[in-house]
Amino acid sequence: MKKNFFFILFSLLLLVVVSCSKDNDNSLELSQDEQVLLNVSYGNHIQQKYDLYLPANRSDDKTKVIVLVHGGGWVEGDKTDMDFLIPQIKQRHPNHAIANINYVLADSNTPAFPNQFLNIDEVINKLTSEQETLQILPEFALIGASAGAHISLMYDYIYDTDNQVKMIADIVGPTDFTDEFYSSNPNFPFLLAALVDETAYPPETNYSEILSPALQVSNASSPTLLFYGNTDTVVPLSNGETLNTALNLAEIDHNFTVYDGGHGNWAQRDIENMIDQISSYININLKVSE
């Protein structure tokens, strides 16, 4: 997602952050216990990195983790696209940890699916395995934008078998590839197939169905916030409506908000409303114990 997807809502007192690298076992203590770990490797691929922001006075029985997942059509984008959200989250949720992640972008040699879903699994598994060292409680919120929202939804609805994800914020994420918006495009089946590792799925798999989060909702799905634009030409509003219906039928706690505008180019008051909703959802579903 483009950096101008949101407006900066408030004038914030920013913490000074000096770049450091986990690869060199360096970290920067901003206060007695506060730490920033940048470009932490969670796999062998150069793009398998995340930035981790650990609050002061954290502990492994209370400090839960907010995970940011960038967009970019599965083939581009970077965690830095989400950097501007970090001061806002810190201000509203100073007792949460934040992980801003990269996943391996799709190319001719590396299909997106299911690899990008599994990348989130690798991040969560690494953070979970380091619970005591990092002093975090491995319960998670996923905030995804566009393709990152699709990846987040798919991870929760299919791969989160241990129920570590407690909520999702879906910002203009594709949810239904069987939608006429996609199926009426004669090139879409070829485009979708190019994103899929066919060896990871049974023969004759209907990729449009199996890769559509709205068609994978179950009673185990996490509480979900949905945000869509009513004139979006990238991800149609109907995708949000289909997911909303599926969540209703499964009786999953959720909220569906439609703003005037396209793929995130909404009025500032609407952006502020979205941030307020996400923050309130974190306070309910990812509450940090006192």
Side-chain angles (χ1 to χ4, degrees), residues 25-83:
D25 293 324
N26 292 323
S27 64
L28 176 67
E29 293 193 6
L30 301 181
S31 65
Q32 183 176 358
D33 293 311
E34 186 173 2
Q35 288 184 294
V36 176
L37 306 175
L38 301 183
N39 293 315
V40 179
S41 294
Y42 65 90
N44 295 326
H45 195 284
I46 191 172
Q47 293 175 351
Q48 289 182 289
K49 310 272 191 183
Y50 58 74
D51 298 338
L52 184 62
Y53 300 81
L54 299 169
N57 302 313
R58 61 190 177 275
S59 73
D60 62 4
D61 62 356
K62 71 174 184 179
T63 305
K64 303 176 185 181
V65 187
I66 299 167
V67 180
L68 306 179
V69 190
H70 71 80
W74 306 282
V75 298
E76 60 182 7
D78 186 83
K79 58 185 169 61
T80 57
D81 296 343
M82 304 292 275
D83 276 351

Short mmCIF file of all heavy atoms in Angstrom, two decimals, residues 25-83:
data_model
loop_
_atom_site.label_atom_id
_atom_site.label_comp_id
_atom_site.label_asym_id
_atom_site.label_seq_id
_atom_site.Cartn_x
_atom_site.Cartn_y
_atom_site.Cartn_z
N ASP A 25 23.34 -8.92 15.65
CA ASP A 25 23.03 -9.04 17.07
C ASP A 25 23.07 -7.70 17.79
O ASP A 25 23.47 -7.60 18.94
CB ASP A 25 24.00 -10.02 17.76
CG ASP A 25 23.80 -11.44 17.27
OD1 ASP A 25 22.65 -11.79 17.00
OD2 ASP A 25 24.80 -12.16 17.16
N ASN A 26 22.65 -6.64 17.07
CA ASN A 26 22.62 -5.31 17.68
C ASN A 26 21.18 -4.92 17.97
O ASN A 26 20.28 -5.19 17.20
CB ASN A 26 23.23 -4.27 16.73
CG ASN A 26 24.72 -4.47 16.55
OD1 ASN A 26 25.40 -4.83 17.49
ND2 ASN A 26 25.22 -4.24 15.36
N SER A 27 20.96 -4.27 19.07
CA SER A 27 19.67 -3.69 19.37
C SER A 27 19.90 -2.37 20.08
O SER A 27 20.96 -2.14 20.65
CB SER A 27 18.83 -4.62 20.25
OG SER A 27 19.44 -4.79 21.50
N LEU A 28 18.90 -1.51 20.01
CA LEU A 28 19.03 -0.19 20.61
C LEU A 28 18.05 -0.07 21.76
O LEU A 28 16.85 -0.23 21.58
CB LEU A 28 18.72 0.89 19.56
CG LEU A 28 18.74 2.32 20.09
CD1 LEU A 28 20.14 2.73 20.48
CD2 LEU A 28 18.17 3.27 19.06
N GLU A 29 18.52 0.18 22.94
CA GLU A 29 17.66 0.41 24.07
C GLU A 29 17.28 1.88 24.12
O GLU A 29 18.13 2.75 24.27
CB GLU A 29 18.35 0.00 25.38
CG GLU A 29 18.58 -1.50 25.49
CD GLU A 29 18.96 -1.91 26.89
OE1 GLU A 29 18.93 -1.04 27.77
OE2 GLU A 29 19.27 -3.10 27.08
N LEU A 30 15.96 2.15 23.97
CA LEU A 30 15.50 3.52 23.97
C LEU A 30 15.22 4.01 25.39
O LEU A 30 15.19 5.19 25.64
CB LEU A 30 14.22 3.64 23.12
CG LEU A 30 14.38 3.21 21.65
CD1 LEU A 30 13.07 3.41 20.93
CD2 LEU A 30 15.49 4.01 20.98
N SER A 31 14.94 3.09 26.27
CA SER A 31 14.82 3.40 27.69
C SER A 31 15.36 2.18 28.42
O SER A 31 16.05 1.36 27.82
CB SER A 31 13.35 3.68 28.04
OG SER A 31 12.58 2.52 27.86
N GLN A 32 15.05 2.04 29.68
CA GLN A 32 15.64 0.94 30.44
C GLN A 32 15.38 -0.41 29.78
O GLN A 32 16.26 -1.27 29.74
CB GLN A 32 15.09 0.94 31.86
CG GLN A 32 15.73 -0.14 32.75
CD GLN A 32 15.24 -0.06 34.16
OE1 GLN A 32 14.45 0.81 34.50
NE2 GLN A 32 15.70 -0.97 34.99
N ASP A 33 14.15 -0.59 29.27
CA ASP A 33 13.80 -1.88 28.70
C ASP A 33 13.29 -1.80 27.26
O ASP A 33 13.15 -2.82 26.61
CB ASP A 33 12.71 -2.56 29.54
CG ASP A 33 13.23 -2.97 30.91
OD1 ASP A 33 14.29 -3.59 30.98
OD2 ASP A 33 12.54 -2.63 31.89
N GLU A 34 12.97 -0.61 26.78
CA GLU A 34 12.39 -0.50 25.44
C GLU A 34 13.45 -0.83 24.40
O GLU A 34 14.60 -0.39 24.49
CB GLU A 34 11.85 0.92 25.23
CG GLU A 34 11.11 1.09 23.93
CD GLU A 34 10.45 2.45 23.83
OE1 GLU A 34 10.62 3.25 24.78
OE2 GLU A 34 9.79 2.71 22.82
N GLN A 35 13.06 -1.62 23.39
CA GLN A 35 14.01 -2.01 22.36
C GLN A 35 13.39 -1.97 20.98
O GLN A 35 12.19 -2.17 20.82
CB GLN A 35 14.52 -3.44 22.60
CG GLN A 35 15.49 -3.58 23.77
CD GLN A 35 16.01 -5.00 23.85
OE1 GLN A 35 15.26 -5.93 24.13
NE2 GLN A 35 17.30 -5.17 23.60
N VAL A 36 14.23 -1.70 19.98
CA VAL A 36 13.86 -1.81 18.58
C VAL A 36 14.84 -2.75 17.92
O VAL A 36 16.05 -2.58 18.02
CB VAL A 36 13.91 -0.43 17.87
CG1 VAL A 36 13.61 -0.58 16.39
CG2 VAL A 36 12.92 0.54 18.51
N LEU A 37 14.32 -3.79 17.28
CA LEU A 37 15.15 -4.75 16.56
C LEU A 37 14.75 -4.66 15.09
O LEU A 37 13.62 -5.00 14.74
CB LEU A 37 14.92 -6.17 17.09
CG LEU A 37 15.09 -6.38 18.60
CD1 LEU A 37 14.70 -7.80 18.98
CD2 LEU A 37 16.51 -6.08 19.02
N LEU A 38 15.66 -4.21 14.25
CA LEU A 38 15.34 -4.00 12.85
C LEU A 38 15.94 -5.10 11.97
O LEU A 38 17.03 -5.61 12.24
CB LEU A 38 15.86 -2.64 12.38
CG LEU A 38 15.32 -1.41 13.12
CD1 LEU A 38 15.86 -0.13 12.51
CD2 LEU A 38 13.79 -1.40 13.11
N ASN A 39 15.18 -5.46 10.95
CA ASN A 39 15.61 -6.46 9.97
C ASN A 39 15.99 -7.79 10.62
O ASN A 39 17.03 -8.37 10.33
CB ASN A 39 16.77 -5.92 9.13
CG ASN A 39 16.34 -4.78 8.24
OD1 ASN A 39 15.29 -4.84 7.60
ND2 ASN A 39 17.13 -3.72 8.21
N VAL A 40 15.11 -8.25 11.49
CA VAL A 40 15.28 -9.56 12.11
C VAL A 40 14.97 -10.63 11.06
O VAL A 40 13.91 -10.61 10.43
CB VAL A 40 14.33 -9.72 13.30
CG1 VAL A 40 14.49 -11.10 13.92
CG2 VAL A 40 14.56 -8.62 14.33
N SER A 41 15.86 -11.57 10.87
CA SER A 41 15.64 -12.67 9.92
C SER A 41 14.75 -13.74 10.56
O SER A 41 14.95 -14.13 11.70
CB SER A 41 16.97 -13.29 9.51
OG SER A 41 17.76 -12.38 8.78
N TYR A 42 13.77 -14.21 9.78
CA TYR A 42 12.96 -15.33 10.25
C TYR A 42 13.00 -16.49 9.26
O TYR A 42 12.24 -17.46 9.39
CB TYR A 42 11.52 -14.89 10.52
CG TYR A 42 10.72 -14.44 9.30
CD1 TYR A 42 9.98 -15.35 8.56
CD2 TYR A 42 10.70 -13.11 8.91
CE1 TYR A 42 9.24 -14.95 7.46
CE2 TYR A 42 9.97 -12.70 7.82
CZ TYR A 42 9.23 -13.62 7.09
OH TYR A 42 8.50 -13.21 6.00
N GLY A 43 13.88 -16.42 8.28
CA GLY A 43 14.04 -17.48 7.29
C GLY A 43 15.30 -17.24 6.49
O GLY A 43 16.05 -16.29 6.74
N ASN A 44 15.52 -18.08 5.49
CA ASN A 44 16.75 -18.01 4.71
C ASN A 44 16.70 -17.00 3.57
O ASN A 44 17.74 -16.58 3.06
CB ASN A 44 17.09 -19.40 4.15
CG ASN A 44 17.41 -20.39 5.24
OD1 ASN A 44 17.98 -20.04 6.27
ND2 ASN A 44 17.00 -21.64 5.04
N HIS A 45 15.49 -16.62 3.15
CA HIS A 45 15.37 -15.68 2.03
C HIS A 45 15.69 -14.27 2.50
O HIS A 45 15.34 -13.89 3.63
CB HIS A 45 13.96 -15.75 1.45
CG HIS A 45 13.82 -15.11 0.10
ND1 HIS A 45 13.79 -13.74 -0.08
CD2 HIS A 45 13.72 -15.65 -1.14
CE1 HIS A 45 13.65 -13.48 -1.38
NE2 HIS A 45 13.61 -14.62 -2.04
N ILE A 46 16.30 -13.49 1.64
CA ILE A 46 16.72 -12.13 2.01
C ILE A 46 15.52 -11.26 2.39
O ILE A 46 15.65 -10.30 3.16
CB ILE A 46 17.55 -11.49 0.87
CG1 ILE A 46 18.20 -10.20 1.38
CG2 ILE A 46 16.67 -11.24 -0.35
CD1 ILE A 46 19.20 -9.61 0.38
N GLN A 47 14.34 -11.57 1.84
CA GLN A 47 13.17 -10.75 2.14
C GLN A 47 12.44 -11.19 3.41
O GLN A 47 11.51 -10.52 3.85
CB GLN A 47 12.18 -10.80 0.95
CG GLN A 47 12.72 -10.14 -0.30
CD GLN A 47 11.81 -10.30 -1.49
OE1 GLN A 47 10.83 -11.04 -1.47
NE2 GLN A 47 12.14 -9.62 -2.58
N GLN A 48 12.87 -12.25 4.01
CA GLN A 48 12.22 -12.73 5.24
C GLN A 48 12.79 -11.99 6.45
O GLN A 48 13.64 -12.48 7.19
CB GLN A 48 12.39 -14.24 5.38
CG GLN A 48 11.56 -15.03 4.38
CD GLN A 48 11.71 -16.52 4.58
OE1 GLN A 48 12.76 -17.09 4.29
NE2 GLN A 48 10.65 -17.17 5.04
N LYS A 49 12.28 -10.78 6.63
CA LYS A 49 12.74 -9.89 7.71
C LYS A 49 11.54 -9.23 8.36
O LYS A 49 10.49 -9.02 7.73
CB LYS A 49 13.64 -8.79 7.15
CG LYS A 49 14.78 -9.25 6.25
CD LYS A 49 16.02 -9.59 7.03
CE LYS A 49 17.21 -9.79 6.09
NZ LYS A 49 18.42 -10.19 6.81
N TYR A 50 11.71 -8.85 9.60
CA TYR A 50 10.72 -7.99 10.22
C TYR A 50 11.41 -7.03 11.18
O TYR A 50 12.54 -7.26 11.62
CB TYR A 50 9.63 -8.77 10.95
CG TYR A 50 10.08 -9.71 12.05
CD1 TYR A 50 10.51 -9.24 13.29
CD2 TYR A 50 10.02 -11.08 11.86
CE1 TYR A 50 10.89 -10.10 14.30
CE2 TYR A 50 10.40 -11.96 12.87
CZ TYR A 50 10.83 -11.47 14.09
OH TYR A 50 11.21 -12.33 15.08
N ASP A 51 10.73 -5.92 11.46
CA ASP A 51 11.16 -4.97 12.48
C ASP A 51 10.29 -5.19 13.71
O ASP A 51 9.06 -5.31 13.59
CB ASP A 51 11.00 -3.53 11.99
CG ASP A 51 11.85 -3.23 10.77
OD1 ASP A 51 12.83 -3.93 10.53
OD2 ASP A 51 11.50 -2.27 10.03
N LEU A 52 10.91 -5.23 14.86
CA LEU A 52 10.19 -5.52 16.10
C LEU A 52 10.38 -4.39 17.09
O LEU A 52 11.51 -3.99 17.39
CB LEU A 52 10.69 -6.84 16.69
CG LEU A 52 9.97 -7.35 17.95
CD1 LEU A 52 8.51 -7.63 17.65
CD2 LEU A 52 10.66 -8.62 18.46
N TYR A 53 9.28 -3.86 17.59
CA TYR A 53 9.28 -2.75 18.55
C TYR A 53 8.75 -3.29 19.88
O TYR A 53 7.58 -3.68 19.99
CB TYR A 53 8.41 -1.61 18.03
CG TYR A 53 8.90 -1.07 16.71
CD1 TYR A 53 8.57 -1.72 15.51
CD2 TYR A 53 9.70 0.07 16.64
CE1 TYR A 53 9.03 -1.24 14.29
CE2 TYR A 53 10.16 0.56 15.42
CZ TYR A 53 9.83 -0.11 14.26
OH TYR A 53 10.29 0.36 13.04
N LEU A 54 9.62 -3.32 20.87
CA LEU A 54 9.29 -3.90 22.17
C LEU A 54 9.14 -2.79 23.20
O LEU A 54 10.06 -1.98 23.38
CB LEU A 54 10.39 -4.87 22.60
CG LEU A 54 10.63 -6.06 21.67
CD1 LEU A 54 11.91 -6.80 22.06
CD2 LEU A 54 9.44 -7.00 21.70
N PRO A 55 8.01 -2.74 23.90
CA PRO A 55 7.81 -1.65 24.86
C PRO A 55 8.56 -1.88 26.16
O PRO A 55 9.00 -2.99 26.47
CB PRO A 55 6.29 -1.72 25.11
CG PRO A 55 5.98 -3.17 24.96
CD PRO A 55 6.87 -3.65 23.82
N ALA A 56 8.73 -0.81 26.90
CA ALA A 56 9.30 -0.92 28.24
C ALA A 56 8.33 -1.67 29.16
O ALA A 56 7.13 -1.74 28.91
CB ALA A 56 9.59 0.46 28.80
N ASN A 57 8.88 -2.24 30.21
CA ASN A 57 8.08 -2.91 31.24
C ASN A 57 7.22 -4.04 30.68
O ASN A 57 6.14 -4.31 31.17
CB ASN A 57 7.19 -1.88 31.96
CG ASN A 57 8.00 -0.77 32.58
OD1 ASN A 57 9.00 -1.02 33.24
ND2 ASN A 57 7.59 0.47 32.35
N ARG A 58 7.74 -4.69 29.64
CA ARG A 58 7.00 -5.79 29.04
C ARG A 58 7.21 -7.06 29.85
O ARG A 58 8.14 -7.17 30.65
CB ARG A 58 7.46 -6.01 27.60
CG ARG A 58 8.93 -6.38 27.45
CD ARG A 58 9.37 -6.34 25.99
NE ARG A 58 10.80 -6.63 25.86
CZ ARG A 58 11.75 -5.74 25.99
NH1 ARG A 58 11.45 -4.48 26.29
NH2 ARG A 58 13.02 -6.09 25.84
N SER A 59 6.35 -8.06 29.60
CA SER A 59 6.51 -9.36 30.24
C SER A 59 5.84 -10.41 29.37
O SER A 59 4.96 -10.10 28.56
CB SER A 59 5.90 -9.37 31.64
OG SER A 59 4.50 -9.37 31.57
N ASP A 60 6.25 -11.66 29.58
CA ASP A 60 5.71 -12.73 28.74
C ASP A 60 4.35 -13.22 29.19
O ASP A 60 3.83 -14.19 28.65
CB ASP A 60 6.70 -13.90 28.66
CG ASP A 60 6.98 -14.55 30.01
OD1 ASP A 60 6.35 -14.14 31.01
OD2 ASP A 60 7.82 -15.46 30.06
N ASP A 61 3.74 -12.51 30.12
CA ASP A 61 2.37 -12.86 30.49
C ASP A 61 1.38 -11.74 30.18
O ASP A 61 0.21 -11.84 30.53
CB ASP A 61 2.27 -13.25 31.96
CG ASP A 61 2.66 -12.12 32.91
OD1 ASP A 61 3.07 -11.04 32.43
OD2 ASP A 61 2.56 -12.33 34.13
N LYS A 62 1.87 -10.67 29.49
CA LYS A 62 0.93 -9.60 29.18
C LYS A 62 1.18 -8.88 27.85
O LYS A 62 0.25 -8.30 27.28
CB LYS A 62 0.92 -8.56 30.30
CG LYS A 62 2.16 -7.70 30.39
CD LYS A 62 2.02 -6.59 31.44
CE LYS A 62 3.23 -5.67 31.44
NZ LYS A 62 3.10 -4.58 32.42
N THR A 63 2.41 -8.88 27.33
CA THR A 63 2.75 -8.01 26.21
C THR A 63 2.42 -8.69 24.88
O THR A 63 3.20 -9.50 24.37
CB THR A 63 4.23 -7.60 26.25
OG1 THR A 63 4.50 -7.01 27.52
CG2 THR A 63 4.56 -6.62 25.14
N LYS A 64 1.26 -8.36 24.32
CA LYS A 64 0.79 -8.97 23.08
C LYS A 64 1.31 -8.19 21.88
O LYS A 64 1.86 -7.10 22.02
CB LYS A 64 -0.73 -9.06 23.10
CG LYS A 64 -1.23 -9.84 24.33
CD LYS A 64 -2.74 -9.88 24.44
CE LYS A 64 -3.18 -10.56 25.72
NZ LYS A 64 -4.65 -10.63 25.85
N VAL A 65 1.14 -8.76 20.68
CA VAL A 65 1.85 -8.28 19.50
C VAL A 65 0.90 -7.87 18.39
O VAL A 65 0.01 -8.65 17.99
CB VAL A 65 2.82 -9.36 18.97
CG1 VAL A 65 3.69 -8.78 17.84
CG2 VAL A 65 3.70 -9.90 20.10
N ILE A 66 1.09 -6.67 17.86
CA ILE A 66 0.36 -6.17 16.70
C ILE A 66 1.26 -6.33 15.48
O ILE A 66 2.37 -5.81 15.44
CB ILE A 66 -0.02 -4.69 16.90
CG1 ILE A 66 -0.93 -4.54 18.12
CG2 ILE A 66 -0.69 -4.14 15.64
CD1 ILE A 66 -1.10 -3.09 18.58
N VAL A 67 0.77 -7.06 14.48
CA VAL A 67 1.55 -7.36 13.29
C VAL A 67 1.02 -6.56 12.10
O VAL A 67 -0.19 -6.58 11.81
CB VAL A 67 1.50 -8.86 12.96
CG1 VAL A 67 2.33 -9.17 11.70
CG2 VAL A 67 2.00 -9.69 14.14
N LEU A 68 1.91 -5.85 11.42
CA LEU A 68 1.56 -5.05 10.24
C LEU A 68 1.99 -5.80 8.99
O LEU A 68 3.13 -6.27 8.88
CB LEU A 68 2.25 -3.69 10.28
CG LEU A 68 2.03 -2.86 11.56
CD1 LEU A 68 2.80 -1.54 11.46
CD2 LEU A 68 0.55 -2.60 11.80
N VAL A 69 1.06 -5.90 8.01
CA VAL A 69 1.31 -6.66 6.78
C VAL A 69 1.03 -5.75 5.58
O VAL A 69 -0.13 -5.40 5.31
CB VAL A 69 0.45 -7.93 6.71
CG1 VAL A 69 0.91 -8.81 5.55
CG2 VAL A 69 0.51 -8.70 8.03
N HIS A 70 2.08 -5.37 4.87
CA HIS A 70 1.96 -4.40 3.78
C HIS A 70 1.25 -4.99 2.56
O HIS A 70 1.12 -6.21 2.40
CB HIS A 70 3.34 -3.88 3.38
CG HIS A 70 4.20 -4.90 2.68
ND1 HIS A 70 4.06 -5.20 1.34
CD2 HIS A 70 5.22 -5.69 3.13
CE1 HIS A 70 4.95 -6.11 0.98
NE2 HIS A 70 5.65 -6.44 2.05
N GLY A 71 0.81 -4.11 1.67
CA GLY A 71 0.21 -4.51 0.40
C GLY A 71 1.20 -4.42 -0.74
O GLY A 71 2.40 -4.28 -0.53
N GLY A 72 0.65 -4.50 -1.96
CA GLY A 72 1.50 -4.41 -3.14
C GLY A 72 1.20 -5.47 -4.19
O GLY A 72 2.07 -5.81 -5.00
N GLY A 73 -0.02 -6.02 -4.18
CA GLY A 73 -0.41 -6.97 -5.21
C GLY A 73 0.37 -8.27 -5.18
O GLY A 73 0.50 -8.93 -6.21
N TRP A 74 0.90 -8.64 -4.04
CA TRP A 74 1.66 -9.87 -3.82
C TRP A 74 3.03 -9.89 -4.51
O TRP A 74 3.82 -10.78 -4.28
CB TRP A 74 0.87 -11.12 -4.25
CG TRP A 74 -0.47 -11.21 -3.62
CD1 TRP A 74 -0.76 -11.62 -2.36
CD2 TRP A 74 -1.73 -10.86 -4.22
NE1 TRP A 74 -2.12 -11.55 -2.14
CE2 TRP A 74 -2.74 -11.09 -3.26
CE3 TRP A 74 -2.09 -10.39 -5.49
CZ2 TRP A 74 -4.07 -10.86 -3.53
CZ3 TRP A 74 -3.42 -10.15 -5.76
CH2 TRP A 74 -4.41 -10.38 -4.78
N VAL A 75 3.32 -8.89 -5.33
CA VAL A 75 4.56 -8.91 -6.11
C VAL A 75 5.46 -7.71 -5.80
O VAL A 75 6.59 -7.63 -6.29
CB VAL A 75 4.29 -8.96 -7.63
CG1 VAL A 75 3.54 -10.23 -8.00
CG2 VAL A 75 3.51 -7.72 -8.10
N GLU A 76 4.98 -6.77 -5.01
CA GLU A 76 5.79 -5.60 -4.66
C GLU A 76 5.37 -5.09 -3.29
O GLU A 76 4.54 -5.69 -2.63
CB GLU A 76 5.64 -4.50 -5.72
CG GLU A 76 4.24 -3.98 -5.91
CD GLU A 76 4.14 -2.93 -6.98
OE1 GLU A 76 5.16 -2.70 -7.68
OE2 GLU A 76 3.05 -2.35 -7.14
N GLY A 77 5.97 -3.99 -2.88
CA GLY A 77 5.71 -3.44 -1.56
C GLY A 77 6.79 -3.82 -0.57
O GLY A 77 7.62 -4.71 -0.83
N ASP A 78 6.79 -3.15 0.58
CA ASP A 78 7.82 -3.35 1.59
C ASP A 78 7.28 -2.93 2.94
O ASP A 78 6.37 -2.09 3.03
CB ASP A 78 9.06 -2.52 1.23
CG ASP A 78 10.24 -2.81 2.16
OD1 ASP A 78 10.95 -3.80 1.93
OD2 ASP A 78 10.42 -2.04 3.13
N LYS A 79 7.84 -3.48 3.99
CA LYS A 79 7.41 -3.13 5.34
C LYS A 79 7.55 -1.65 5.64
O LYS A 79 6.80 -1.11 6.47
CB LYS A 79 8.17 -3.96 6.38
CG LYS A 79 9.68 -3.85 6.37
CD LYS A 79 10.30 -4.81 7.39
CE LYS A 79 11.79 -4.97 7.26
NZ LYS A 79 12.58 -3.76 7.47
N THR A 80 8.46 -0.97 4.96
CA THR A 80 8.59 0.47 5.19
C THR A 80 7.33 1.23 4.79
O THR A 80 7.11 2.34 5.27
CB THR A 80 9.79 1.03 4.42
OG1 THR A 80 9.65 0.73 3.03
CG2 THR A 80 11.10 0.43 4.91
N ASP A 81 6.50 0.63 3.93
CA ASP A 81 5.24 1.27 3.56
C ASP A 81 4.31 1.44 4.76
O ASP A 81 3.40 2.27 4.73
CB ASP A 81 4.51 0.44 2.49
CG ASP A 81 5.28 0.35 1.18
OD1 ASP A 81 6.20 1.16 0.97
OD2 ASP A 81 4.97 -0.55 0.37
N MET A 82 4.53 0.65 5.80
CA MET A 82 3.67 0.70 6.99
C MET A 82 4.34 1.44 8.15
O MET A 82 3.74 1.56 9.22
CB MET A 82 3.32 -0.72 7.42
CG MET A 82 2.66 -1.57 6.35
SD MET A 82 1.01 -1.02 5.89
CE MET A 82 0.01 -1.84 7.14
N ASP A 83 5.56 1.92 7.95
CA ASP A 83 6.31 2.55 9.05
C ASP A 83 5.57 3.71 9.69
O ASP A 83 5.65 3.92 10.90
CB ASP A 83 7.66 3.05 8.54
CG ASP A 83 8.74 1.97 8.53
OD1 ASP A 83 8.48 0.88 9.08
OD2 ASP A 83 9.83 2.22 7.99
#
